[in-house]
Amino acid sequence: VIVIWAIPVVKLNQMLGPGRALVAPDMPFSMASDYIALQLVFRTQFAYERIKEAKTRFSHIVERTRKLSRLTEFYLPPAIDRKARQLCAAFAWCVMAQVRGWPERSATVDFLSARLSVILPSSDVDRILQQPSKTPPAHRVLRELAKLTAENFTGSDRLRADVVMEQMINQINELDSALNACERLRRTPIPLSFGRHGLRCLTIFLFGLPFVLFPHCGKLTPIYLGILAFITLGIDQSALQLEEPFGILPLMPLCLRVEEQMGMTGLGKQ
């Protein structure tokens, strides 16, 4: 659109001639270009920090579930260990669903139900996904993990239970921190007014730029304007996508990796 706009501007100035051509002074656009460049830098940097934090937090989930599974393997009976691994694998899928629209998007709810049905018994799936409870599924899974040691180490084995419980709860607390950080990133987006104002300023700048470029570029003004528009609008669009990190991060491979680490691949709820 901007290039199409520049073509009639060039034609009109060619018709009017050098003395009557519609041209604009360089100074206002030079000042505006500094502001627009600064705004694009700040927006892109802030959006990059969001996606960097989202990637780090979800990577923590992969790491902490692996550490938790090592504890359950060495300190819990085989049946309880298998149950803990199932919950760890389910937790990763629950977090992914929550940051991608659970329960607002019905497709996300159906996908989560299908994935959990592969990992957990149907009774556990119903309990985790029960409606209309306001507790998100990932928080329910963490609660199940926290209760696991307390329910299975009591009486004469109390010393061992205390050690295992403390270590497991530390890992669960780290998982809870990662979950809360992911939810914060999802529920606190960048204000729309910030991005809209920047885009409006950039659009006005680009539509006025042909009147500045014509004395320097002549009939090549649409070409140079198209290049500038492609670069600046591309940066703005990239920042817009980065502002919603969980929409572009490959979370499914990470969840499948957690399943593999838990030994759930090919085993499911056996």
Side-chain angles (χ1 to χ4, degrees), residues 212-234:
V212 180
L213 292 179
F214 179 75
H216 306 285
C217 303
K219 61 182 180 180
L220 297 179
T221 295
I223 298 177
Y224 288 109
L225 182 63
I227 295 174
L228 290 174
F230 175 79
I231 295 173
T232 54
L233 292 176

Side-chain angles (χ1 to χ4, degrees), residues 238-260:
S238 299
L240 179 62
Q241 293 183 359
L242 291 176
E243 289 173 3
E244 297 296 335
F246 295 112
I248 59 176
L249 281 177
L251 299 183
M252 186 173 293
L254 294 176
C255 293
L256 292 173
R257 183 180 175 186
V258 173
E259 272 196 18
E260 183 179 357

Side-chain angles (χ1 to χ4, degrees), residues 33-269:
S33 65
D34 293 337
Y35 160 75
I36 291 174
L38 189 63
Q39 195 269 346
L40 287 175
V41 168
F42 277 138
R43 186 181 182 189
T44 305
Q45 182 179 3
F46 190 64
Y48 176 76
E49 291 296 330
R50 286 174 61 86
I51 195 171
K52 181 180 179 181
E53 183 180 3
K55 183 179 179 180
T56 300
R57 294 296 184 174
F58 213 91
S59 297
H60 285 172
I61 293 176
V62 178
E63 177 186 354
R64 296 299 175 175
T65 51
R66 181 175 64 248
K67 291 182 178 180
L68 185 59
S69 67
R70 289 173 181 170
L71 289 171
T72 61
E73 179 182 4
F74 286 105
Y75 294 106
L76 296 181
I80 306 303
D81 171 46
R82 184 168 60 252
K83 177 69 173 179
R85 288 172 178 271
Q86 290 173 342
L87 292 174
C88 286
F91 175 75
W93 290 111
C94 290
V95 175
M96 173 182 167
Q98 286 180 210
V99 299
R100 287 192 170 175
W102 186 95
E104 294 85 1
R105 298 178 181 176
S106 58
T108 303
V109 177
D110 295 339
F111 175 80
L112 178 60
S113 178
R115 292 305 311 177
L116 294 185
S117 298
V118 176
I119 301 171
L120 298 170
S122 57
S123 58
D124 292 343
V125 175
D126 294 338
R127 185 173 64 257
I128 292 173
L129 298 180
Q130 63 183 348
Q131 298 288 348
S133 175
K134 296 182 180 180
T135 305
H139 291 281
R140 297 177 195 164
V141 173
L142 284 180
R143 187 168 55 194
E144 295 276 346
L145 282 170
K147 291 169 57 179
L148 207 58
T149 52
E151 291 179 349
N152 292 276
F153 289 99
T154 57
S156 60
D157 210 16
R158 190 63 191 178
L159 179 60
R160 184 185 179 191
D162 289 341
V163 174
V164 175
M165 183 180 297
E166 180 180 1
Q167 295 184 24
M168 288 189 66
I169 292 302
N170 286 339
Q171 299 302 325
I172 293 172
N173 287 337
E174 293 295 332
L175 290 174
D176 187 50
S177 298
L179 171 60
N180 290 334
C182 291
E183 290 182 333
R184 172 177 54 80
L185 287 172
R186 181 195 172 222
R187 298 181 183 277
T188 55
I190 297 177
L192 291 176
S193 58
F194 178 73
R196 288 175 179 175
H197 177 69
L199 181 59
R200 289 166 187 159
C201 293
L202 179 58
T203 303
I204 294 173
F205 176 83
L206 291 174
F207 270 97
L209 203 56
F211 300 100
V212 180
L213 292 179
F214 179 75
H216 306 285
C217 303
K219 61 182 180 180
L220 297 179
T221 295
I223 298 177
Y224 288 109
L225 182 63
I227 295 174
L228 290 174
F230 175 79
I231 295 173
T232 54
L233 292 176
I235 295 174
D236 182 80
Q237 185 63 29
S238 299
L240 179 62
Q241 293 183 359
L242 291 176
E243 289 173 3
E244 297 296 335
F246 295 112
I248 59 176
L249 281 177
L251 299 183
M252 186 173 293
L254 294 176
C255 293
L256 292 173
R257 183 180 175 186
V258 173
E259 272 196 18
E260 183 179 357
Q261 291 176 168
M262 299 303 108
M264 294 294 104
T265 305
L267 297 178
K269 53 190 175 184

